[in-house]
Amino acid sequence: MEPVASSQQFPRQRRPEPVLITEAEPSMAEQHAFRKKRYAITMGIRAVFIVLAASFYQVVWLMLIFAFLGTVLPWIAVIMANDRPPKKRLHVNTYDARPDRVLESRPTRVIDG
C-alpha cells in the first residue's frame, strides 16, 4: 500500500497578505491614512516656504513668491485632504450590432380578414 500525500508532508508557503483578486477599492481607513499623510506633507512644505520667506526678506521678489506659496498651500492641502481617490473606469459590456450580423428588414404583409 502506497502512502497518501497529506498537507503536512508538503506544507504550503504562507504569504504575509492574501492575493487581491477583486477590483475593490482601498478601505476607508487606508484612504483616510493616505489623505492625512498627504496633508501633513503639504503642511510641512508650507512651513518650509514660510521659513524661506522670512529668511529671504531682503530679496523682495523671492520673499513674495515664498510667502504666496506658504499662503496658498493650506487651501490646496485641505482640498486634497477632502478629495477621495478617483473611481475606476469600468468597461461596460454593451451590445454592438455588427453590420454583417444584422437581420435585413423586409416589408411586412398585413392580412385583413
Side-chain angles (χ1 to χ4, degrees), residues 17-73:
E17 293 183 21
V19 177
L20 182 63
I21 60 171
T22 66
E23 295 293 324
E25 294 183 1
S27 69
M28 291 301 285
E30 289 174 354
Q31 289 180 20
H32 188 252
F34 175 74
R35 291 195 315 252
K36 283 186 351 185
K37 181 179 177 183
R38 187 169 54 184
Y39 179 81
I41 290 171
T42 307
M43 293 308 283
I45 293 170
R46 177 202 184 233
V48 170
F49 283 149
I50 296 297
V51 169
L52 286 173
S55 63
F56 283 101
Y57 68 93
Q58 294 176 341
V59 184
V60 176
W61 65 272
L62 197 55
M63 178 197 65
L64 289 175
I65 291 174
F66 287 137
F68 176 76
L69 291 174
T71 305
V72 173
L73 271 181

Side-chain angles (χ1 to χ4, degrees), residues 89-105:
R89 172 175 270 179
L90 298 176
H91 175 69
V92 179
N93 289 331
T94 57
Y95 177 71
D96 187 22
R98 296 184 353 202
D100 60 333
R101 299 278 175 124
V102 175
L103 294 176
E104 57 190 48
S105 61

